[in-house]
Amino acid sequence: MSIFETDIQITTTSMKTKQTLTIIIATLALTACGVQKLSQTEKLVRQTLIAQETDSLVKSRRFGVEVSAVFPQGASMRHLNYDYGIQVHGDTLRSYLPYFGRAYEVPYGGGKGLDFSEPMKRWTLTEMKKGEQQMKIWVENEEDSYVYTLHIYPSGVVDLTVDSRQRDRIRYNGNITKEARR
């Protein structure tokens, strides 16, 4: 076999490899496009179902919020690894949230903080733009009075702000749940 015959054989083999790779890449691209269209439809259906479930939970006033991050006033965000959150059950608020920040007048030892279960004094639910809902809950215990403001998005994400007379404002981020873990 001469050098010229070897070059022709190598070129033919490399062209067949290129053609095969081109066919494989084209097939994968077309398959991915078909899957993408299907997954976009499925994604839209899923988002709609989550929005309906979130709306139903909020209006029933039987839901939990599991928080995963806390934003203390004047400090940086902290991720939470423990089961913190709140539970709304009818006219009762069960709060089990950590507190980081300045407290102005609290009982010796720090008191209960944001870990209590009390009946709501008052609550409101307001429909906002793009399916967002705002729920405000006023609650008191022997240590302080609080206003819990929940911004609930159709995706189930919740921004929770807690204001009180004796402590700095604090904000949490989490997700709505059917049942709280505590």
Side-chain angles (χ1 to χ4, degrees):
M1 190 183 290
S2 72
I3 294 179
F4 296 115
E5 289 176 13
T6 307
D7 284 342
I8 292 171
Q9 194 174 25
I10 291 173
T11 305
T12 307
T13 305
S14 102
M15 289 196 55
K16 285 181 182 178
T17 305
K18 285 180 184 178
Q19 287 174 345
T20 305
L21 283 175
T22 304
I23 291 171
I24 291 172
I25 291 172
T27 304
L28 288 173
L30 290 173
T31 305
C33 289
V35 170
Q36 185 177 9
K37 286 182 182 178
L38 181 62
S39 68
Q40 287 175 346
T41 304
E42 288 176 349
K43 185 177 177 181
L44 184 60
V45 169
R46 185 168 185 249
Q47 287 172 344
T48 303
L49 291 174
I50 290 171
Q52 289 172 349
E53 179 71 17
T54 299
D55 185 56
S56 174
L57 288 171
V58 171
K59 288 182 177 169
S60 73
R61 285 186 296 148
R62 295 190 188 287
F63 64 91
V65 176
E66 292 181 358
V67 298
S68 56
V70 60
F71 302 84
Q73 189 170 339
S76 60
M77 178 200 71
R78 294 182 185 187
H79 289 283
L80 299 174
N81 295 328
Y82 191 68
D83 294 330
Y84 291 109
I86 65 169
Q87 177 72 33
V88 174
H89 190 77
D91 289 333
T92 303
L93 174 70
R94 169 73 177 108
S95 174
Y96 44 98
L97 296 170
Y99 183 79
F100 306 96
R102 182 178 291 166
Y104 299 103
E105 187 178 321
V106 293
Y108 182 74
K112 293 180 178 181
L114 300 177
D115 190 0
F116 60 84
S117 181
E118 295 290 336
M120 298 176 200
K121 296 293 181 188
R122 186 168 66 118
W123 68 274
T124 61
L125 180 61
T126 307
E127 298 287 330
M128 309 296 277
K129 292 189 245 179
K130 297 182 181 178
E132 177 187 348
Q133 297 174 314
Q134 180 187 51
M135 179 179 265
K136 281 193 170 194
I137 301 170
W138 287 263
V139 65
E140 292 180 11
N141 64 17
E142 60 275 0
E143 293 179 7
D144 206 346
S145 62
Y146 307 92
V147 178
Y148 283 63
T149 305
L150 293 83
H151 288 273
I152 305 160
Y153 299 93
S155 64
V157 171
V158 178
D159 283 324
L160 166 63
T161 304
V162 180
D163 293 297
S164 80
R165 288 186 290 181
Q166 303 300 330
R167 298 174 190 268
D168 279 344
R169 170 183 284 181
I170 190 164
R171 190 170 67 85
Y172 303 89
N173 185 273
N175 292 300
I176 195 165
T177 61
K178 290 181 183 179
E179 299 289 329
R181 294 189 183 185
R182 282 196 183 189

